[in-house]
Amino acid sequence: MSYDKSIIVNGYRHVLYAADRLNEADMMARSFDFYHFMNRRRSVRDISDAPVERRVIENIIMTAGTAPSGAHKQPWTFCAVSNPGLKKKIRRAAEEEERLNYSSRMSERWKKDLAPLGTDMHKPFLERAPWLIIVFKKVYEIDEEGRKHNNYYVNESVGIACGFLIAAIHNLNLVTLTHTPSPMNFLSDILKRPSNERPYLLLPVGYPEVPAYVPDIKRKNIEEIAQFYI
């Protein structure tokens, strides 16, 4: 059966989406393989300073940019930092916020929950990793005349894009971890971002150090994370 390659909907062109339907055996095999591949993903703090090509980082970011977003506004900016001076400034500012967090802002229960992960206020990976990707959410757009225009479902959209970003990093056997020093306004200042952007997530990206160690943690099973209504 043949279909038109494009149609007009509400005055706008829509193009044909085509994808081969998998048989049940192939679907089971691919879903199983992808789950086990992603299940090997870990947050890694022992990141090597070995260089990663800029073109690779560009492809990773382009993959993140394929994520769905409210009204297709794509309300994100991915700032990729390899400049040593900027990385040093980011590390110093992040560690100062983390020092305050661990010394006064975080509850004892919070710190106890973090203890098995081996994290603390020291963040050497922010300097050592060849790249830092700082994700900013665009809370609104500014047109050429300086007028503001709303974006929609910004947190949800940027969160989905970050998931794509992490999967794209893991796909190359590179490593990262999600770092959210709070507050993160220093990132806007250091990188001189415009007023309509807010820092959302900081991801160091690189190869794992040899050796690299990660906490021996377990993930919840299907019964703990899903409910099926049949």
Side-chain angles (χ1 to χ4, degrees), residues 184-212:
M184 295 196 290
N185 295 332
F186 65 87
L187 293 167
S188 299
D189 296 335
I190 291 173
L191 299 178
K192 297 180 171 58
R193 300 312 305 162
S195 60
N196 64 323
E197 294 185 2
R198 305 284 187 275
Y200 187 88
L201 186 64
L202 192 166
L203 297 165
V205 181
Y207 295 99
E209 191 63 271
V210 179

Side-chain angles (χ1 to χ4, degrees), residues 64 66-69 76 154-166 200:
T66 68
S69 60
W76 44 62
V154 173
N155 285 331
E156 295 86 348
S157 300
V158 177
I160 295 168
C162 288
F164 279 37
L165 181 67
I166 292 167
Y200 187 88

Side-chain angles (χ1 to χ4, degrees), residues 18-229:
D20 293 334
R21 178 174 294 188
L22 300 176
N23 62 45
E24 185 174 347
D26 287 343
M27 192 177 294
M28 284 295 298
R30 286 178 64 167
S31 63
F32 180 86
D33 289 345
F34 188 67
Y35 159 64
H36 281 276
F37 170 72
M38 291 303 297
N39 196 37
R40 294 199 301 270
R41 186 211 58 80
R42 299 297 299 271
S43 295
V44 177
R45 291 172 173 80
D46 297 332
I47 301 178
S48 168
D49 60 359
V52 176
E53 285 286 338
R54 170 176 168 164
R55 289 174 294 179
V56 170
I57 300 299
E58 289 176 353
N59 287 336
I60 288 171
I61 291 173
M62 289 298 292
T63 300
T66 68
S69 60
H72 194 54
K73 291 295 185 178
Q74 304 168 85
W76 44 62
T77 300
F78 302 91
C79 294
V81 178
S82 64
N83 180 281
L86 286 177
K87 289 194 294 182
K88 182 183 290 290
K89 287 182 180 179
I90 289 171
R91 177 187 177 182
R92 287 177 176 173
E95 287 185 335
E96 175 58 21
E97 293 296 346
E98 291 290 69
R99 183 186 67 79
L100 293 172
N101 286 337
Y102 277 88
S103 63
S104 60
R105 294 170 179 162
M106 295 165 60
S107 67
E108 290 304 314
R109 180 173 181 176
W110 190 350
K111 287 187 280 189
K112 183 178 179 181
D113 287 340
L114 288 174
L117 305 181
T119 183
D120 57 28
M121 66 189 70
H122 303 292
K123 311 297 177 184
F125 49 78
L126 294 178
E127 269 192 277
R128 187 165 177 78
W131 290 94
L132 304 179
I133 299 179
I134 300 94
V135 185
F136 287 84
K137 63 180 183 181
K138 288 186 176 181
V139 294
Y140 55 87
E141 301 291 340
I142 304 175
D143 66 21
E144 294 179 355
E145 298 179 2
R147 294 174 298 191
K148 297 180 181 179
H149 300 274
N150 289 342
N151 286 326
Y152 312 102
Y153 299 103
V154 173
N155 285 331
E156 295 86 348
S157 300
V158 177
I160 295 168
C162 288
F164 279 37
L165 181 67
I166 292 167
I169 292 167
H170 181 62
N171 184 53
L172 301 180
N173 290 336
L174 298 173
V175 295
T176 187
L177 71 147
T178 53
H179 184 47
T180 53
S182 181
M184 295 196 290
N185 295 332
F186 65 87
L187 293 167
S188 299
D189 296 335
I190 291 173
L191 299 178
K192 297 180 171 58
R193 300 312 305 162
S195 60
N196 64 323
E197 294 185 2
R198 305 284 187 275
Y200 187 88
L201 186 64
L202 192 166
L203 297 165
V205 181
Y207 295 99
E209 191 63 271
V210 179
Y213 293 93
V214 295
D216 184 16
I217 57 177
K218 307 300 179 185
R219 293 188 168 98
K220 294 180 178 180
N221 60 37
I222 187 66
E223 290 79 13
E224 295 174 290
I225 65 173
Q227 291 287 327
F228 290 85
Y229 298 82

